[in-house]
C-alpha cells in the first residue's frame, strides 16, 4: 500500500480522480490562503494537472524537504513558478499540435513497456492533445519522452534531490481519468494503464530496503 | 491603480496564467489571486472573469464581493463549471465531446446560438462552440438564454438583475485559449474581451519565456 497525498485547489471532480483503493491510500490536502501541509506521513506527493502553482511556490521548501527525505513526487502540471527542484516547465505554442509526436528516449525502468505510445499522441485521430509546452530538464535527469522537436515531455529526476520526481509537461494523469469524456473512455485508457504502471514502479521504489552510507 | 480593465480571478492554474500572460491580453487582463479577492482589490476593474478550474468553495466564500461588483454596474463573465450554488443557478456535469468536429462536424454540441449577442455577432458556428463543460439546469428567473444544446439544455446565459451584467457559459474560452490547442479561439475571446471592457485585443497570442520558472516575492 502506498500512502499518497494529493494537493487540491478545489477544481471540480478532483476527488473522483484519486479514490483510495487496494494499492494506494489517497489523502487530499486542500489548498487555502495559508497552505502549510504536513507531508511527513506520506510516501508519495501527487501534484495533479490544474494545481495552484502560487501555493506550491510558497511551500517549495516543504517539497524540497519531502524529496530530500528520499520520497517520491509525481507532478502532472504546468508549473510556471519555480518550485520543482532543478526542472522548469515552459509553455510553448511555436509549433502546431497537428505536428506533435512523442518518442521514448530513455526508459530505464521500462515504464512504457507494453504501453501503446500512439494513444498518448492521438485521441480520435487528433494529435497533440495530452501535454502542453515542454520541460527544461535538470542535467542528469532521464528524459523519458520527447516531442517532435526533441523537447522533453516526461522526465524522471533522481539526481536533483535525494528523492524521485516523475514530471510531465502538464500531461494529465490520475487513478481515474475517465469520468468526463464521452468517447467510450478510449483516449484515456492508455494513460490510465500507464498510471497503474507508475504505481507498480512506485511500490517497488518505496518499499525497497534503504541503504545507508556509513 | 491598475491600468488593466479586467481582473481574472486566479486559482493558480497554469492555463489561466498563460492566458493572462499572452502578449495580446497582458495589458488588458490582470490576475487576482482568489484568496486576495476583496471589494478593494477589484474596485478598479471594469469587468471580472471567473475562469474554468476555479476554486468554487473559495468563490462561494467571497461571492458577496462579486455581487457587490455587479451592483456597481459592472460586468462578470463566468466560464466552465459553477458548483457550490453561489449563483442563483444550478450547474451539472455532462460528458465532454471534444472531437465532434472530426467525427460529426455537422452536429456540434451547441445547436442554437443567439448570434445577435455582441460576443457572438459575426462568429461562425464552429467559432461559437468547441466543447462544453456541463450545462445549466436552472438559471435566474428572467435571465436571457444565449446558447443551448439540441436537447434544450442551457449552455450560455446572461442577466442584468444584479445591477451590472452577469454572463455565464459552460464553454471555456479563457482556459482553453491558455492551453493553445484550439487555434481559432481568438475569434471568440477577442470579442468577449471587447464586450467586457471596450478594448479590442490586437496581435498574436505569444508567450514571453521570462514568464515561466518565475519566483514570487
Amino acid at each position: 500500500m502506498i500512502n499518497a497525498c494529493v494537493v487540491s485547489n478545489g477544481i471540480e471532480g478532483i476527488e473522483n480522480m484519486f479514490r483510495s483503493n487496494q494499492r494506494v491510500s489517497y489523502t487530499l490536502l486542500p489548498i487555502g490562503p495559508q497552505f502549510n501541509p504536513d507531508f511527513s506521513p506520506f510516501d508519495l506527493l501527487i501534484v495533479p494537472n490544474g494545481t495552484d502553482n502560487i501555493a506550491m511556490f510558497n511551500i517549495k521548501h516543504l517539497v524540497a524537504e519531502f524529496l530530500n527525505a528520499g520520497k517520491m513526487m509525481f507532478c502532472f502540471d504546468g508549473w510556471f513558478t519555480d518550485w520543482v527542484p532543478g526542472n522548469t516547465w515552459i509553455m510553448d505554442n511555436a509549433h502546431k499540435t497537428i505536428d506533435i509526436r512523442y518518442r521514448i528516449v530513455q526508459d530505464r525502468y521500462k515504464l512504457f513497456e507494453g504501453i501503446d505510445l500512439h494513444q498518448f499522441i492521438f485521441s480520435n485521430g487528433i494529435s497533440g492533445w495530452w501535454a502542453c509546452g515542454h520541460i527544461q530538464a535538470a542535467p542528469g535527469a532521464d528524459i523519458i519522452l520527447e516531442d517532435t522537436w526533441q523537447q522533453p515531455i516526461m522526465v524522471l529526476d533522481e539526481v536533483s534531490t535525494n528523492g524521485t520526481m516523475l514530471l510531465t509537461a502538464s500531461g494529465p494523469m490520475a487513478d481515474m481519468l475517465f469520468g468526463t469524456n464521452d468517447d467510450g473512455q478510449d483516449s484515456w485508457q492508455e494513460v490510465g494503464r500507464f498510471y497503474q504502471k507508475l504505481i507498480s514502479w512506485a511500490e517497488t521504489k518505496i518499499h525497497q530496503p534503504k541503504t545507508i552510507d556509513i | 491603480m491598475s491600468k488593466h480593465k479586467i481582473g481574472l480571478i486566479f486559482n493558480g492554474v497554469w492555463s489561466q496564467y498563460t492566458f493572462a500572460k499572452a502578449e495580446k491580453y497582458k495589458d488588458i487582463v490582470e490576475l487576482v489571486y482568489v484568496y486576495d479577492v476583496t471589494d478593494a482589490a477589484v474596485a478598479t476593474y471594469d469587468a471580472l472573469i471567473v475562469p474554468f478550474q476555479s476554486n468554487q468553495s473559495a468563490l462561494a466564500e467571497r461571492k458577496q464581493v462579486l455581487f457587490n461588483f455587479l451592483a456597481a454596474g459592472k460586468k462578470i463573465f463566468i466560464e466552465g463549471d459553477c458548483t457550490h450554488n453561489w449563483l442563483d443557478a444550478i450547474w451539472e456535469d455532462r460528458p465532454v465531446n471534444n472531437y465532434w468536429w472530426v467525427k460529426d462536424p455537422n452536429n456540434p454540441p451547441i445547436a442554437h446560438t443567439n448570434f445577435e449577442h455582441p460576443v457572438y455577432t459575426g462568429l461562425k458556428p464552429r467559432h461559437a462552440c468547441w466543447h462544453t463543460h456541463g450545462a445549466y439546469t436552472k438559471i435566474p428567473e428572467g435571465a436571457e438564454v444565449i446558447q443551448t444544446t439540441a436537447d434544450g439544455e442551457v449552455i450560455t446565459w446572461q442577466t442584468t438583475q444584479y445591477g451590472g451584467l452577469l454572463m455565464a457559459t459552460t464553454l471555456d474560452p479563457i482556459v482553453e485559449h491558455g492551453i493553445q490547442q484550439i487555434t481559432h479561439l481568438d475569434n471568440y475571446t477577442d470579442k468577449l474581451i471587447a464586450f467586457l471592457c471596450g478594448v479590442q485585443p490586437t496581435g498574436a497570442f505569444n508567450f514571453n519565456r521570462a514568464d515561466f520558472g518565475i519566483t514570487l516575492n
Side-chain angles (χ1 to χ4, degrees):
Chain A
M1 174 70 82
I2 295 174
N3 197 11
C5 60
V6 182
V7 292
S8 169
N9 57 343
I11 62 176
E12 172 67 12
I14 192 169
E15 68 280 5
N16 296 323
M17 293 181 175
F18 297 97
R19 290 182 184 163
S20 295
N21 52 58
Q22 291 184 334
R23 305 180 75 194
V24 188
S25 170
Y26 291 109
T27 300
L28 260 60
L29 301 176
I31 290 172
Q34 306 297 329
F35 187 49
N36 185 30
D38 177 9
F39 291 141
S40 63
F42 303 105
D43 308 310
L44 171 64
L45 164 61
I46 297 176
V47 181
N49 192 278
T51 287
D52 182 341
N53 285 279
I54 304 299
M56 292 307 295
F57 182 85
N58 291 333
I59 62 156
K60 63 181 291 187
H61 61 293
L62 299 179
V63 175
E65 283 175 15
F66 178 79
L67 290 166
N68 280 323
K71 297 190 176 182
M72 180 176 282
M73 177 176 78
F74 296 164
C75 177
F76 308 129
D77 198 28
W79 65 96
F80 56 86
T81 57
D82 181 27
W83 65 266
V84 175
N87 297 268
T88 303
W89 173 78
I90 301 166
M91 183 53 173
D92 178 6
N93 64 350
H95 303 290
K96 292 182 177 178
T97 54
I98 197 171
D99 295 324
I100 290 177
R101 303 290 182 273
Y102 301 139
R103 187 177 79 87
I104 298 168
V105 181
Q106 183 176 16
D107 186 15
R108 74 173 70 195
Y109 295 108
K110 302 187 186 312
L111 296 171
F112 270 94
E113 192 171 80
I115 297 293
D116 181 4
L117 184 59
H118 193 79
Q119 300 296 324
F120 279 66
I121 300 170
F122 295 100
S123 174
N124 292 288
I126 303 164
S127 70
W129 66 279
W130 179 62
C132 293
H134 62 272
I135 298 168
Q136 185 174 300
D142 288 5
I143 296 166
I144 298 179
L145 285 187
E146 67 178 14
D147 66 11
T148 312
W149 306 276
Q150 291 82 51
Q151 301 174 123
I153 297 300
M154 183 184 295
V155 168
L156 171 64
D157 186 343
E158 298 177 293
V159 298
S160 295
T161 68
N162 292 331
T164 302
M165 294 183 277
L166 190 290
L167 313 168
T168 71
S170 83
M173 287 194 198
D175 212 311
M176 184 66 182
L177 267 173
F178 319 122
T180 59
N181 270 27
D182 74 343
D183 59 352
Q185 306 180 354
D186 288 346
S187 60
W188 290 111
Q189 277 186 357
E190 208 63 3
V191 176
R193 287 203 331 116
F194 182 83
Y195 181 85
Q196 295 306 322
K197 288 200 71 177
L198 278 186
I199 292 299
S200 297
W201 167 68
E203 286 171 335
T204 304
K205 291 274 290 185
I206 289 167
H207 296 125
Q208 72 184 8
K210 299 287 190 294
T211 58
I212 300 172
D213 293 330
I214 298 174
Chain B
M1 184 174 181
S2 175
K3 65 178 181 179
H4 298 85
K5 296 280 191 178
I6 298 174
L8 193 157
I9 309 300
F10 184 39
N11 194 21
V13 176
W14 69 265
S15 51
Q16 300 167 356
Y17 177 81
T18 52
F19 177 87
K21 293 299 180 183
E23 289 284 340
K24 68 183 300 183
Y25 302 121
K26 70 177 185 181
D27 292 333
I28 305 171
V29 176
E30 186 169 50
L31 297 166
V32 183
Y33 196 34
V34 62
Y35 305 110
D36 296 334
V37 169
T38 62
D39 290 325
V42 301
T44 62
Y45 303 119
D46 293 348
L48 294 175
I49 291 173
V50 178
F52 184 45
Q53 296 194 317
S54 284
N55 186 328
Q56 296 290 328
S57 64
L59 288 171
E61 292 169 6
R62 293 158 180 80
K63 76 174 201 176
Q64 195 54 50
V65 174
L66 302 180
F67 282 96
N68 290 345
F69 191 83
L70 286 171
K74 299 182 177 183
K75 293 179 178 175
I76 296 181
F77 175 76
I78 300 171
E79 69 164 22
D81 59 293
C82 188
T83 57
H84 289 262
N85 298 332
W86 61 272
L87 290 177
D88 298 327
I90 297 175
W91 173 91
E92 291 185 8
D93 201 7
R94 296 286 184 272
V96 177
N97 180 340
N98 54 14
Y99 55 90
W100 61 271
W101 50 276
V102 173
K103 301 288 186 183
D104 192 5
N106 295 317
N107 189 25
I110 293 176
H112 306 289
T113 296
N114 175 8
F115 283 103
E116 294 182 0
H117 186 280
V119 173
Y120 294 87
T121 302
L123 290 183
K124 297 174 182 174
R126 75 184 188 92
H127 295 155
C129 173
W130 43 102
H131 55 239
T132 58
H133 291 281
Y136 281 96
T137 57
K138 174 180 174 289
I139 61 175
E141 195 170 332
E144 174 190 354
V145 175
I146 300 168
Q147 292 185 290
T148 66
T149 66
D151 296 334
E153 290 206 299
V154 176
I155 300 300
T156 307
W157 55 274
Q158 70 176 24
T159 181
T160 56
Q161 69 182 261
Y162 305 110
L165 185 135
L166 172 63
M167 180 175 176
T169 182
T170 73
L171 295 166
D172 58 348
I174 304 301
V175 158
E176 198 63 55
H177 209 19
I179 291 171
Q180 281 289 285
Q181 289 182 337
I182 301 174
T183 54
H184 64 66
L185 283 178
D186 294 86
N187 295 293
Y188 187 104
T189 308
D190 290 2
K191 292 178 78 71
L192 173 68
I193 296 296
F195 173 68
L196 291 175
C197 72
V199 177
Q200 185 66 46
T202 57
F205 194 113
N206 295 327
F207 294 116
N208 183 350
R209 170 64 185 85
D211 286 329
F212 299 94
I214 62 168
T215 58
L216 305 174
N217 295 323

